[in-house]
Amino acid sequence: MRCVIARYPFDLTKSEVEEMLKGIRPEQPVSGPCAVISRKLYPVKQVGEVITKQDRRDFTAFEVTRALTRLGFTCHETPPAPATPAPVAPAAESDSGPESTSYIGTTLG
């Protein structure tokens, strides 16, 4: 698909972008516009720098986001919040002391 980034046309496919980013670690922490590529969250400016081989100051995050969205990638304005586990209910406390039903070591009778 033909995409224009920083006034230069690029013919890109989704698989080509994934291949270009293979082996490149996403910059941390990710803040601002980002894209999910190969199950990893990348800043769009980092992606733009890799696919265009230009300095990040030469293009906007919007240009790269628009191109990545057209190629079928999921893009976000800000990183999605991490999934938080469901809260665990505290164990009920009894007034009769710990393990009140344990008969180990006691003599019944």
Side-chain angles (χ1 to χ4, degrees), residues 38-105:
S38 299
R39 298 184 344 225
K40 295 178 187 173
L41 193 63
Y42 287 90
V44 294
K45 287 286 219 169
Q46 180 184 11
V47 175
E49 185 175 50
V50 171
I51 63 178
T52 65
K53 297 177 180 58
Q54 295 179 354
D55 190 275
R56 296 175 189 208
R57 295 173 290 184
D58 294 340
F59 52 85
T60 65
F62 178 75
E63 290 175 296
V64 179
T65 301
R66 182 179 57 211
L68 293 174
T69 301
R70 289 182 60 206
L71 288 170
F73 294 105
T74 302
C75 297
H76 304 280
E77 284 294 316
T78 58
T84 56
V88 178
E93 296 180 27
S94 63
D95 293 332
S96 59
E99 299 181 358
S100 62
T101 58
S102 175
Y103 299 109
I104 298 174

